[in-house]
Amino acid sequence: MTETVFAELYGPEPPAQAPNEGATSTCLAKLVAGGARAEAAPAPAPSAEGCGIDAPVRLSSIAVTGGDVVSLPDRPLLDCEFALVLADYIRLIVAPLGQAMLRAKVAAIETGPGYDCRTQDRVAGARISAHAKGLAVDFVAIAFADQRRLLVERPTGADEASYFRAIRSAACGWFTTVLGPGADAFHANNMHLDIESHGSSGAYRICE
Ligand SMILES: [Zn+2]
């Protein structure tokens, strides 16, 4: 059948779908089914540095056990694949350990913006940051329903400090990189989490 005949019979061919639209909607459906509030986001403008997100989503909150909701007031812009890992980590580690160790519900987590088009340490020519692909967040503070606010940089009490150590150690099992606070200029006051693969096999983890 020639193209002309095809068009006469069926109308013009539908425009090709954007490459990752399908992947985004499948992942987003999974994210939302797991209790997250998230929406598809426009892809950041392509840049010379090679920044970009495969399946961009904005993550607003995560439902945890008991129907409670942990909100993410910074609504980070993330690759959906990373958002799934982050949502599970919050649901299975951050919220239940808060309940167990501090007897408090985690109400909100300040994560920073997620996506940031930059190289590591903003050095020209350096490797591109995991933030530039939407594969990272930086935990700055955790707010609890009882009005306590844990600053990652400087947890106030002994209980808060051991809670933070516990969620940080557990993070090493969920993410490929866990750094800070104090790792570098960008992570002086926060904990960086990403799922970028390291090493030739991709199995190497950085957990400092
Ligand atoms: Zn970071």
Side-chain angles (χ1 to χ4, degrees):
M1 190 186 304
T2 67
E3 268 179 41
T4 322
V5 174
F6 182 95
E8 276 167 13
L9 288 174
Y10 304 109
E13 281 188 75
Q17 213 182 23
N20 291 302
E21 228 168 77
T24 306
S25 57
T26 308
C27 174
L28 189 59
K30 199 170 157 190
L31 193 60
V32 171
R37 235 181 64 215
E39 59 193 41
S47 75
E49 294 85 1
C51 301
I53 303 181
D54 280 343
V57 296
R58 269 198 192 279
L59 188 58
S60 310
S61 69
I62 290 144
V64 297
T65 317
D68 295 315
V69 170
V70 174
S71 77
L72 304 178
D74 298 328
R75 300 180 65 237
L77 178 59
L78 305 169
D79 188 302
C80 188
E81 182 201 357
F82 178 81
L84 280 175
V85 177
L86 179 64
D88 278 352
Y89 169 66
I90 292 171
R91 184 183 304 119
L92 299 171
I93 303 289
V94 179
L97 280 185
Q99 193 74 64
M101 298 180 71
L102 300 176
R103 300 191 202 302
K105 292 178 199 273
V106 173
I109 303 172
E110 292 166 36
T111 59
Y115 176 77
D116 181 11
C117 180
R118 62 171 171 85
T119 55
Q120 289 180 351
D121 301 335
R122 263 189 232 280
V123 175
R127 226 162 78 84
I128 198 164
S129 160
H131 287 282
K133 298 177 205 156
L135 298 178
V137 288
D138 298 325
F139 275 27
V140 178
I142 301 172
F144 297 90
D146 63 7
Q147 308 301 320
R148 263 184 286 182
R149 182 164 176 269
L150 187 162
L151 265 185
V152 164
E153 184 184 16
R154 202 174 44 248
T156 39
D159 289 350
E160 285 80 3
S162 58
Y163 166 69
F164 179 66
R165 272 199 304 277
I167 64 166
R168 194 185 185 288
S169 306
C172 297
W174 291 81
F175 301 93
T176 53
T177 311
V178 179
L179 293 173
D184 58 42
F186 289 105
H187 304 103
N189 68 347
N190 58 56
M191 171 175 70
H192 169 97
L193 305 171
D194 79 50
I195 57 165
E196 204 164 41
S197 48
H198 307 292
S200 50
S201 73
Y204 174 58
R205 282 167 188 262
I206 298 173
C207 189
E208 292 176 349

